[in-house]
C-alpha cells in the first residue's frame, strides 16, 4: 500500500472549551416541535414536552390533541413518581402501529424501495439492478414494486407518503432531479411521475440532505446544532445544516463536493476526472475508482460490493484500498471542517462504518490537517445507518416532511379538527 505523506503538524488551534458557546439551536414552536420532542424522549409526559419545547402546558395539550386525532402519537399506561409519589401522568409516544412511509433511492447501478415506520426503522427493502438508465422506466419500476413490498410487509399499516432520494442536484421544491450526470438524467419531474403512478404524496430530495435529516431525527444527536455530511459512494456529494436547517442553495447545488482538489495522494498516479482534471475527490475515492485500483493490483471484482466483501474478509489488498480511501476522505473532511466548523461531520462510507482501522485512519488525517478540529474522535463520526443507508435515505425524505408539518395535507391521515 502506498502510504500517504503525513503533513507537518500545525500549531494547536484553540479548543472548543476556550471559545464562548453560541448556545443551543432553538426549536421552532408548534405541533412539529411537540412531535419532535415526543420522538426524542417518548414515552414522555406532557409537562416534560412543555419544558423541552418552551411552550405553555395549554399549548402542548392542544398540539397533542391534534396529534392524537391524526394517529401519529398514542398514550402509554399511566405512571406515577417513585414509590407512588406525585401526580399520575399519561406518557406520550410515537404510534408506529398505524402508518408507514415508503422510500425510493436511485443509485448509479441499482434502485431501492423501502418501508419505514414513524420512528425511522426500516421495515423492509427491495434492491434491484437497473436494466437501463431511462428515467421513466426506472421510476415506473419503482412504482410497480412498492405495492408488492407493502402487501408483504406493511402488516395492516397504511403508507402515508413516498420519499425519493438520489445523488447530485435535486430541487425539493419542484420535485425535480435537476441533473444526475452518472445516470444521464436532466430536469426529470420525479414528483409528477411518481405521484401519478402511486397516488401518494411524493417528496423529493438529494440523498445527502436526506441522510443529514435522518441523523437529526433518529441518529447522531450532535447533528442538531450543525453538521456536514459527506457521502462517498458511486456518487460523491455532501450536505450542510445549521440550527437544524439544511442549506440547499438557490440552484439546489449546495453540497457539490465531488471536485474538491486532493491531488494524487503523493503516488503520482492521480485518477482522471470527468471534469478533465486529475486528483478530484470523486475521481480518487468513488466506487468506480476503487474497482479500477483493485484491478491494477490484480484483485479483479465486478462490483464494489465484492470489493467490500473482500475487505470485510480481511483480504490485505482490499483492506489497503479502503484505508487509502479513508485517508483521502480525511483530507476532504478536514477541508470541510475548517470551512464550516460544524459541531459534527458525518461520513457515509462503508469502510469508515465497518472497518475500525479505516475510521481511525480518517480521523488521524483530520487531526493532522484541520486547523479547527481539536477532537476528531468526537467531531467525525460514521453514519448511524451503516448497512441500511440507501433504504433510509428515501424514507427519511418523507419522514422529514411529516415531522416538519404533521398537520399538513396528508391524505391518509384524519382531517385536523
Amino acid at each position: 500500500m502506498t502510504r500517504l505523506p503525513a503533513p507537518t503538524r500545525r500549531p494547536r488551534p484553540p479548543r472548543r472549551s476556550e471559545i464562548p458557546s453560541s448556545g443551543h439551536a432553538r426549536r421552532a414552536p408548534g405541533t412539529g416541535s411537540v412531535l419532535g420532542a415526543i420522538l426524542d424522549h417518548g414515552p414522555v409526559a406532557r409537562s416534560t414536552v412543555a419544558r423541552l419545547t418552551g411552550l405553555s402546558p395549554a399549548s402542548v395539550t392542544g398540539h397533542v390533541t391534534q396529534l392524537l386525532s391524526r394517529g401519529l402519537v398514542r398514550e402509554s399506561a399511566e405512571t406515577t413518581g417513585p414509590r407512588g409519589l406525585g401526580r399520575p401522568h399519561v406518557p406520550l409516544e410515537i404510534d408506529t402501529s398505524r402508518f408507514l412511509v415508503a422510500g425510493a433511492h436511485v443509485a448509479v447501478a441499482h434502485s431501492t424501495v423501502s418501508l419505514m415506520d414513524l420512528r425511522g426503522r426500516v421495515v423492509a427493502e427491495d434492491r434491484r439492478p437497473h436494466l437501463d438508465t431511462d428515467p421513466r422506466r426506472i421510476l415506473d419500476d419503482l412504482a410497480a414494486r412498492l405495492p408488492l413490498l407493502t402487501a408483504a410487509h406493511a402488516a395492516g399499516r397504511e403508507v402515508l407518503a413516498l420519499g425519493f432520494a438520489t445523488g447530485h442536484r435535486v430541487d425539493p421544491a419542484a420535485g425535480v432531479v435537476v441533473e444526475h450526470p452518472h445516470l444521464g438524467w436532466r430536469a426529470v419531474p420525479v414528483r409528477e411521475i411518481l405521484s401519478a403512478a402511486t397516488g401518494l404524496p411524493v417528496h423529493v430530495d438529494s440523498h445527502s440532505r436526506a441522510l443529514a435529516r435522518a441523523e437529526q431525527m433518529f441518529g447522531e444527536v450532535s447533528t442538531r446544532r450543525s453538521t456536514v455530511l459527506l457521502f462517498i459512494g458511486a456518487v460523491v456529494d455532501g450536505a450542510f445544516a445549521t440550527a437544524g436547517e439544511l442549506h440547499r442553495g438557490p440552484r439546489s447545488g449546495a453540497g457539490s463536493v465531488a471536485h474538491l482538489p486532493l491531488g494524487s495522494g503523493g503516488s503520482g498516479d492521480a485518477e482522471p476526472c470527468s471534469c478533465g482534471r486529475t486528483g478530484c475527490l470523486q475521481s480518487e475515492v468513488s466506487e468506480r475508482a476503487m474497482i479500477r485500483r483493485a484491478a491494477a493490483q490484480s484483485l479483479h471484482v465486478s462490483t464494489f460490493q465484492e470489493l467490500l466483501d473482500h475487505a470485510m474478509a480481511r483480504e490485505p489488498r482490499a483492506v489497503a484500498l479502503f484505508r487509502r480511501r479513508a485517508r483521502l476522505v480525511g483530507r476532504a473532511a478536514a477541508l470541510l471542517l475548517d470551512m464550516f466548523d460544524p459541531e459534527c461531520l458525518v461520513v457515509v462510507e462503508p469502510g469508515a462504518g465497518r472497518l475500525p482501522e479505516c475510521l481511525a485512519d480518517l480521523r488521524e488525517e483530520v487531526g493532522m490537517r484541520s486547523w479547527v478540529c481539536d477532537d476528531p474522535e468526537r467531531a467525525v463520526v460514521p453514519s448511524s445507518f451503516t448497512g441500511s443507508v440507501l433504504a433510509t435515505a428515501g424514507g427519511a425524505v418523507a419522514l422529514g416532511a411529516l415531522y416538519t408539518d404533521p398537520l399538513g395535507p396528508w391524505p391518509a391521515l384524519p382531517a385536523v379538527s
Side-chain angles (χ1 to χ4, degrees):
M1 179 185 72
T2 301
R3 179 74 173 179
L4 300 175
T8 303
R9 178 65 177 170
R10 294 177 169 84
R12 183 184 72 81
R15 298 188 181 279
R16 289 185 185 272
S17 60
E18 300 167 354
I19 301 173
S21 172
S22 58
H24 290 271
R26 293 178 56 193
R27 284 184 181 270
T31 313
S33 65
V34 171
L35 185 61
I38 296 170
L39 172 68
D40 288 346
H41 301 281
V44 61
R46 288 168 173 79
S47 59
T48 304
V49 172
R51 177 175 56 80
L52 291 167
T53 60
L55 298 171
S56 70
S59 293
V60 169
T61 296
H63 293 307
V64 167
T65 299
Q66 291 178 313
L67 293 170
L68 286 167
S69 71
R70 303 212 90 178
L72 298 176
V73 303
R74 62 188 174 195
E75 294 178 323
S76 302
E78 185 178 278
T79 64
T80 59
R83 301 178 182 272
L85 301 176
R87 297 178 59 186
H89 65 269
V90 181
L92 301 161
E93 61 185 345
I94 301 298
D95 190 344
T96 60
S97 67
R98 299 178 61 180
F99 302 107
L100 300 169
V101 297
H105 180 274
V106 175
V108 173
H110 51 77
S111 61
T112 303
V113 182
S114 62
L115 295 173
M116 293 177 69
D117 71 16
L118 299 193
R119 291 195 63 83
R121 295 175 294 212
V122 176
V123 173
E125 66 176 288
D126 172 40
R127 181 180 302 180
R128 301 184 189 180
H130 301 319
L131 299 179
D132 60 50
T133 59
D134 177 79
R136 189 66 194 231
R137 279 194 283 271
I138 288 177
L139 296 175
D140 285 348
D141 176 66
L142 289 170
R145 288 155 55 190
L146 179 56
L148 300 175
L149 196 68
T150 302
H153 299 283
R157 291 172 286 186
E158 188 170 1
V159 175
L160 291 176
L162 171 62
F164 174 93
T166 192
H168 291 293
R169 289 176 59 199
V170 180
D171 183 345
V176 169
V177 174
V178 178
E179 186 176 27
H180 195 309
H182 288 76
L183 292 173
W185 290 16
R186 190 176 183 85
V188 177
V190 171
R191 178 186 296 149
E192 177 184 325
I193 294 171
L194 288 178
S195 294
T198 65
L200 292 169
V202 176
H203 301 270
V204 179
D205 210 340
S206 77
H207 57 206
S208 294
R209 289 193 292 263
L211 290 166
R213 185 75 176 103
E215 292 288 349
Q216 292 173 332
M217 291 189 293
F218 314 112
E220 176 60 44
V221 173
S222 62
T223 60
R224 301 286 179 82
R225 293 189 183 185
S226 61
T227 186
V228 169
L229 183 137
L230 187 55
F231 184 99
I232 308 295
V235 171
V236 175
D237 52 20
F240 171 65
T242 184
E245 295 295 323
L246 287 158
H247 180 65
R248 293 182 173 87
R251 290 164 292 278
S252 303
S256 300
V257 299
H259 302 290
L260 282 178
L262 297 183
S264 64
S267 60
D269 58 348
E271 293 281 346
C273 185
S274 58
C275 69
R277 294 175 294 185
T278 58
C280 293
L281 175 62
Q282 176 175 266
S283 65
E284 288 288 333
V285 303
S286 71
E287 292 180 1
R288 184 178 302 176
M290 291 284 283
I291 292 173
R292 283 200 302 263
R293 288 190 176 276
Q297 297 189 26
S298 300
L299 183 58
H300 298 288
V301 294
S302 57
T303 67
F304 178 79
Q305 183 61 51
E306 288 182 42
L307 181 60
L308 178 60
D309 290 342
H310 279 300
M312 294 294 293
R314 312 305 301 174
E315 203 286 331
R317 292 167 296 178
V319 172
L321 285 171
F322 275 93
R323 294 189 69 174
R324 178 187 184 278
R325 186 195 213 193
R327 288 201 170 273
L328 290 171
V329 172
R331 290 186 179 191
L335 288 171
L336 295 171
L337 284 163
D338 288 355
M339 183 180 297
F340 294 104
D341 190 23
E343 189 73 21
C344 176
L345 185 143
V346 179
V347 179
V348 183
E349 192 276 324
R354 299 184 180 187
L355 300 170
E357 61 266 51
C358 287
L359 182 58
D361 288 344
L362 195 159
R363 286 170 168 166
E364 182 181 22
E365 196 74 16
V366 166
M368 291 189 297
R369 292 180 177 274
S370 173
W371 287 91
V372 303
C373 180
D374 59 289
D375 188 0
E377 290 196 10
R378 181 196 59 79
V380 180
V381 299
S383 170
S384 300
F385 311 102
T386 298
S388 61
V389 165
L390 303 186
T392 298
V397 178
L399 285 178
L402 177 66
Y403 277 91
T404 298
D405 187 17
L407 302 186
W410 299 90
L413 296 179
V416 179
S417 57

